[in-house]
Amino acid sequence: MDPFSGALLVVAGVAAGLAGSIAGLASLCSYPALLAFGLPPVAANVTNTMAMFANTAGAAAASRPELRGQGRRVARLVAVAAAGGSLGAALLLSTPAEAFEFVVPWLIALGSVLLLARDRLRRLAEERAARSAAPRRPAFLPLAAPVALVGLYGGYFGAASGVLMLAVLCAATTEPLPVTNAVKNLVTGAANITAAVAYAFLAPVHWPAAAALSCGCLAGSWLGPKVVRRLPERPLRYAIAMAGFGLALYLRVI
């Protein structure tokens, strides 16, 4: 890898870290950059997953105010997402990628639709709970299955898994977006890290490219939560959804 290509991957990593920690769209920057670098799709995918470890580390370090008091909830969600990520990695390593890659743009678009419909989904849930005399179930139980599925997706392909995870978490909570975003970063990161461990030994990771991306990701993801704290929630959520639609269209065309 020549110095110019390495520098471009570092820049792409900074953009990916920002996009990932703010919007769950790190791969909007990193995956196309790896393809442009000349890696085939599978190698680009596993290299991208390896580099996203830095995204999780930087975002977690910068999100400590939002994560206070979230330890038990995060631990449960991380365990479920990690299990899903392990299954996703096993799926990638044992089956052809073409069929799942065909579905990927539609999953991303669905996540964007869920983000746009979040307020309506919340109102429906509140109305249903008000009409029901039965006690409400703990929030973790209905989240376990979708979190595991998004974790599986993240371990297998990963592009915009953060959008899907953010959509799932937003639909189930009424907390401020920066808190949900911080939890999303850790939960999505658990699936990525679990898959990365398998890919490190069993997949064609391009280590110099992964190292260059990781350096940029660490810086970008550390800045991301600071940006989220200063932006209004609704425009940010709409911008995330629109970016998700853009990535879905891009992946559908290529």
Side-chain angles (χ1 to χ4, degrees):
M1 182 173 65
D2 61 271
F4 181 71
S5 297
L8 288 180
L9 285 175
V10 171
V11 171
V14 172
L18 280 168
S21 58
I22 294 173
L25 284 169
S27 295
L28 179 66
C29 304
S30 56
Y31 185 69
L34 290 168
L35 293 177
F37 178 67
L39 295 183
V42 171
N45 181 29
V46 297
T47 301
N48 184 55
T49 300
M50 193 65 59
M52 289 305 103
F53 175 81
N55 187 52
T56 302
S63 298
R64 285 176 293 178
E66 288 80 12
L67 292 172
R68 289 194 186 100
Q70 300 289 331
R72 184 175 180 183
R73 170 194 177 196
V74 168
R76 289 179 173 181
L77 293 173
V78 160
V80 173
S86 299
L87 292 175
L91 192 64
L92 178 67
L93 294 171
S94 61
T95 61
E98 290 82 0
F100 198 81
E101 288 180 1
F102 175 80
V103 182
V104 162
W106 303 105
L107 292 175
I108 296 170
L110 175 61
S112 297
V113 169
L114 289 174
L115 279 176
L116 292 175
R118 189 196 66 173
D119 291 340
R120 178 59 180 163
L121 291 173
R122 281 182 178 177
R123 284 195 295 270
L124 290 174
E126 290 167 359
E127 291 169 3
R128 185 170 60 249
R131 290 193 300 266
S132 175
R136 298 182 66 179
R137 297 169 65 190
F140 171 73
L141 295 179
L143 274 178
V147 166
L149 288 174
V150 176
L152 187 152
Y153 167 73
Y156 188 95
F157 186 71
S161 60
V163 168
L164 294 172
M165 191 68 76
L166 186 61
V168 167
L169 295 176
C170 279
T173 182
T174 57
E175 67 196 4
L177 183 62
V179 175
T180 310
N181 193 63
V183 173
K184 174 268 297 178
N185 288 332
L186 290 183
V187 176
T188 306
N192 288 340
I193 292 169
T194 305
V197 171
Y199 295 157
F201 296 98
L202 301 172
V205 176
H206 191 292
W207 290 104
L213 265 180
S214 294
C215 290
C217 273
L218 189 62
S221 60
W222 183 78
L223 291 172
K226 302 177 185 298
V227 174
V228 171
R229 293 184 195 121
R230 290 165 172 78
L231 293 178
E233 176 177 342
R234 181 168 294 182
L236 177 60
R237 180 158 45 89
Y238 288 174
I240 293 170
M242 292 301 104
F245 284 127
L247 181 57
L249 180 61
Y250 172 80
L251 292 174
R252 190 73 182 91
V253 170
I254 65 169

